[in-house]
Every structure is written in C-alpha cells, then in structure tokens.
Amino acid sequence: PTPGAGRPPPAPPVGPALGQFGANIAFFVKEYNALTAARAGEVIPVIVHVFSDRSFTLELKTPPTAELLHKAVGASKGSGKAGKEIIGTVDIDKLREIAEIKLPDLNVKDIDRAMKMVHGTAVASGVEVEGYDAWLKTALPRPASILERYGPGIERLPAPWGPAPPLDGEAAPEEATEGAPPAEAPVEA
C-alpha cells in the first residue's frame, strides 16, 4: 500500500489488502501514523510483512520519485505528454538531492547512476533538468569495454582472451597467474 503519511485510510486499497491476510487494520493505522507523524503530507510507501499469527511489521520506503519531482517544481501531477509538455524545471543540484533521498531504495550504490535514474523519471513526468547534458559529459565517462567498467576481471580470462592459463590445462607463464585465483586440486573419488 502507498498511503499518505499520518493519514492512512482503512478504505481501499489499504483495508482490503490487509484484511485478506487477517491483519488488524486499526493497529496498522495506529502504528503507521506513529512512524510517519513527522512526515505528514508526504506519500510514504510501506511494505507490510504479515506473519502466520496475524502480527505484522512495517517497512517504510522513500517517497516515489515522481512525487519528489512534482513537489520540487510545484506541480500536482506529471505531464500527460512527456517530452512535449514541460510542467517545470529543476537544476542539477535538486536532481542530486532527490537522488540522495531515493538512494536507499534504488538498485545502485553510487549517486551518479541514481541521478540518471531520477532523470529518467523526470523526463517521463515532463520535468526539465537544467545542466543535465553538461553534467552527463563529465559524470559518467563511457567505458571502452564492459571489462573496464566492472574491474580487473580480464585477469581471470583464459588464453587467448586474457593472461590466465588456457582452458586445455597447458601450463601458463608465472606472471599471468599472479592475479588469478588459485586452482583447485583434483578430487579423488
């Protein structure tokens, strides 16, 4: 469910979603209000973990990215015609601020990639980001290859693609095996 902070109604979608698992809706409302009292007026998604004894725990998430963007530009909703109709403009610093808020819920760990994700939502909502193109040229340089992006994995590639020993078991030079993980001993059956 995604109720507003400090005021989750026991009406749909919250009531039926909890009722089907036998959770006490009144306790949910009371606990949710207590957890979100300081954030009144925000939309706070929550994951409810209902256990077999009908008790539950609440896991609060960060507000939706679109809500944060709409609040930043002072709009109540996004553009119905993304790319054609602009509802507002934010600068790159505001984009970074929103990305920092959303970072715990995203599947990336660095702020630059989080900013790219938030920018995607901004484009879809009709929010223009000033300075994004200039920032993008310096923030995330395009790697020459996938191996450059993900680190020194090339050291573990077998010959002829990398410096590690060939797949057929031939001996390799000593300097090629220094960075490679130790080989496993054969197992006797």
Side-chain angles (χ1 to χ4, degrees):
T2 309
R7 53 165 182 78
V14 177
L18 293 174
Q20 69 181 345
F21 296 107
N24 188 323
I25 298 168
F27 284 153
F28 164 78
V29 171
K30 184 176 179 183
E31 188 171 340
Y32 184 83
N33 285 343
L35 290 172
T36 61
R39 299 166 71 178
E42 294 181 35
V43 175
I44 308 294
V46 62
I47 295 177
V48 182
H49 300 277
V50 181
F51 302 106
S52 59
D53 64 351
R54 297 183 181 178
S55 65
F56 59 87
T57 60
L58 301 180
E59 180 183 347
L60 297 180
K61 296 294 196 176
T62 58
T65 307
E67 290 287 329
L68 294 171
L69 288 165
H70 299 160
K71 188 175 181 181
V73 298
S76 60
K77 62 178 188 168
S79 168
K81 300 175 183 175
K84 296 179 182 174
E85 186 180 308
I86 304 297
I87 62 167
T89 305
V90 295
D91 61 356
I92 198 72
D93 295 328
K94 189 65 176 177
L95 187 78
R96 177 179 296 277
E97 181 184 320
I98 293 171
E100 288 170 353
I101 292 169
K102 289 298 294 180
L103 196 58
D105 286 348
L106 297 177
N107 61 354
V108 294
K109 298 296 178 210
D110 61 307
I111 194 67
D112 290 336
R113 286 185 173 75
M115 287 173 69
K116 284 184 74 173
M117 294 173 82
V118 172
H119 178 260
T121 304
V123 169
S125 293
V127 176
E128 189 176 9
V129 181
E130 290 180 351
Y132 181 78
D133 292 330
W135 169 82
L136 190 59
K137 289 178 183 175
T138 61
L140 295 169
R142 188 171 185 90
S145 72
I146 193 89
L147 296 174
E148 181 184 317
R149 178 181 217 173
Y150 291 107
I154 195 167
E155 300 299 323
R156 289 180 246 146
L157 289 176
W161 303 284
L167 293 175
D168 61 3
E170 295 178 12
E174 283 297 313
E175 66 270 0
T177 59
E178 287 177 2
E184 294 182 16
V187 178
E188 299 282 332

